[in-house]
């Protein structure tokens, strides 16, 4: 069974304020001093930075104090590219609530979007009580699903000897609905110390390696860099960290290596070419590959590497 690692909380965030109000008595709540037809946002700030990456619409609640007849409310907004707000919304007769439906299909995943939406007409709200402006802080996030345990091989940071390749178990996650993967905890402390010894361990290894399809036709992939191994070269200085880079992130002269970032064995093995550097020195290990076996190939991985 798939393990879902993220809970979507957007709807709960929006509805929380409405639920905490006296829903059955909104007329008295939003019409102080006998002033009628007050319109208000249900809250002054809305922050949701875990919106599912596939979401294209986001609803924000607008309320009013009297539900006699229909009512159209004009809006104005200051929102970044990627988020679009309508210029007006309408209440149906008898309804105390309506929704402002934002188009968020243009939002990039992992980027924060900040803006505001306002009631445009002063005649539509009571300034003494109404929340006439709402600040929104949005970000989309992937929903990560576990594919199971795979294995990783790295000749520099993990291999102990010719006899002991230092194959390390890793959790493989996939972004639901997207060709994007995470290889979790690729350089655990125990594994890198087994390969290098305690004196070369500095900590701070990357929590994961994130990969995604770069070119569907060519079958190439890209990963976020630098990848930090949690090692440093003690013989070359205290800040001689061993970090890995996507080839052209390190130097445009390494562009020819980009095609080596690809899937092998019908998608069962991931090969990523890394510029394996020793930071703050003029030394490096060159461009070498890391190999990652998907869970259904883990049992054959060592034999495959040695063949």
């Amino acid at each position: 069974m798939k393990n879902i690692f993220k809970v979507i909380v957007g709807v709960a965030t929006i509805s929380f304020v409405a639920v905490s109000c006296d829903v059955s008595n909104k007329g008295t709540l939003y019409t102080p001093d006998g002033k009628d037809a007050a319109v208000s946002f249900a809250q002054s700030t809305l922050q949701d930075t875990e919106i599912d990456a596939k979401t294209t619409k986001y609803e924000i609640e607008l309320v009013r104090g009297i539900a006699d007849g229909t009512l159209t409310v004009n809006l104005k907004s200051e929102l970044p590219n990627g988020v679009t707000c309508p210029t007006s919304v309408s209440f149906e007769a008898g309804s105390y609530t309506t929704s402002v439906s934002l188009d968020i299909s243009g939002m990039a995943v992992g980027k924060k979007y900040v803006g505001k939406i306002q009631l445009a007409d002063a005649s539509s709200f009571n300034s003494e009580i109404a929340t006439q402006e709402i600040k929104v802080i949005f970000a989309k996030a992937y929903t990560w699903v576990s594919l199971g345990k795979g294995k990783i091989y790295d000749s520099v940071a993990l291999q102990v000897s010719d006899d002991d390749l230092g194959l390390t178990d890793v959790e493989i996650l996939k972004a639901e609905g997207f060709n994007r993967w995470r290889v979790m905890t690729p350089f655990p402390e125990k594994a890198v110390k087994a390969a290098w010894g305690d004196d070369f361990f500095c900590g701070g290894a990357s929590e994961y390696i994130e990969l995604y399809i770069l070119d569907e036709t060519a079958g190439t992939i890209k990963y976020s860099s630098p990848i930090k191994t949690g090692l440093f070269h003690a013989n070359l200085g205290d800040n001689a960290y061993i970090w890995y880079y996507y080839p052209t992130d390190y130097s445009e002269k390494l562009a020819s290596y980009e095609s080596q970032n690809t899937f092998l064995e019908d998608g069962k093995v991931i090969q990523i070419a890394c510029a394996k550097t020793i930071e703050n020195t003029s030394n490096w290990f060159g461009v070498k590959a890391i190999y990652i076996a998907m869970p259904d190939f883990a049992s054959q991985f060592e034999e495959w590497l040695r063949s």
Side-chain angles (χ1 to χ4, degrees):
M1 182 177 289
K2 298 189 295 183
N3 297 317
I4 303 297
F5 280 78
K6 184 176 70 61
V7 178
I8 307 303
V9 297
V11 174
T13 303
I14 296 172
S15 62
F16 174 78
V17 174
V19 171
S20 65
C21 296
D22 184 357
V23 178
S24 65
N25 194 24
K26 284 183 179 176
T28 58
L29 180 62
Y30 291 103
T31 54
D33 301 326
K35 296 182 179 180
D36 295 339
V39 175
S40 175
F41 288 103
Q43 57 201 112
S44 60
T45 301
L46 174 59
Q47 178 168 318
D48 190 345
T49 56
E50 291 290 326
I51 301 172
D52 186 88
K54 300 185 294 297
T55 302
T56 59
K57 298 290 185 182
Y58 200 101
E59 309 292 328
I60 296 177
E61 189 176 40
L62 199 63
V63 297
R64 63 173 174 170
I66 289 180
D68 294 345
T70 61
L71 176 66
T72 297
V73 179
N74 294 322
L75 303 171
K76 58 183 179 180
S77 60
E78 296 178 17
L79 297 166
N81 291 336
V83 183
T84 304
C85 179
T87 57
S88 66
V89 294
S90 296
F91 289 87
E92 294 181 356
S95 178
Y96 288 101
T97 65
T98 190
S99 293
V100 179
S101 182
L102 302 182
D103 183 343
I104 60 170
S105 58
M107 282 178 55
V109 180
K111 179 181 177 181
K112 183 179 288 188
Y113 292 77
V114 180
K116 63 181 180 181
I117 305 166
Q118 298 170 301
L119 302 175
D121 299 330
S123 60
S124 67
F125 59 86
N126 176 1
S127 61
E128 295 178 8
I129 189 63
T131 302
Q132 62 201 63
E133 176 181 301
I134 184 170
K135 179 182 179 181
V136 294
I137 304 169
F138 289 151
K140 284 187 175 182
Y142 295 109
T143 298
W144 295 99
V145 180
S146 176
L147 301 181
K149 289 284 188 179
K151 290 186 181 292
I152 186 170
Y153 167 71
D154 176 27
S155 62
V156 171
L158 296 173
Q159 182 170 348
V160 178
S161 65
D162 289 343
D163 293 328
D164 183 354
L165 299 182
L167 301 186
T168 301
D169 290 339
V170 286
E171 186 85 3
I172 309 289
L173 308 181
K174 187 176 187 298
E176 196 169 45
F178 296 87
N179 287 323
R180 183 175 288 259
W181 299 263
R182 279 183 178 176
V183 181
M184 305 304 295
T185 319
F187 299 104
E189 179 177 346
K190 182 178 179 180
V192 295
K193 281 184 174 180
W196 282 74
D198 292 357
D199 291 344
F200 292 84
F201 177 75
C202 63
S206 296
E207 294 181 14
Y208 53 82
I209 302 171
E210 186 162 333
L211 314 103
Y212 58 93
I213 296 292
L214 180 64
D215 187 320
E216 291 276 3
T217 303
T220 53
I221 59 179
K222 190 171 182 180
Y223 57 89
S224 301
S225 69
I227 300 169
K228 301 177 182 181
T229 65
L231 294 168
F232 76 112
H233 205 301
N235 299 334
L236 298 176
D238 292 342
N239 59 352
Y241 306 115
I242 298 175
W243 290 0
Y244 300 166
Y245 291 86
Y246 183 77
T248 51
D249 286 352
Y250 185 67
S251 172
E252 290 296 331
K253 295 178 180 179
L254 300 179
S256 61
Y257 289 97
E258 289 188 348
S259 62
Q260 295 182 23
N261 291 281
T262 189
F263 285 95
L264 306 174
E265 299 296 326
D266 296 323
K268 296 178 181 178
V269 176
I270 302 171
Q271 173 182 276
I272 58 173
C274 305
K276 299 185 176 182
T277 72
I278 305 174
E279 295 292 291
N280 303 302
T281 75
S282 58
N283 299 286
W284 71 324
F285 298 97
V287 180
K288 298 178 181 292
I290 291 175
Y291 295 97
I292 301 152
M294 289 296 194
D296 59 351
F297 198 73
S299 62
Q300 308 167 56
F301 191 40
E302 181 166 0
E303 181 181 355
W304 179 83
L305 287 167
R306 293 185 182 280
S307 63

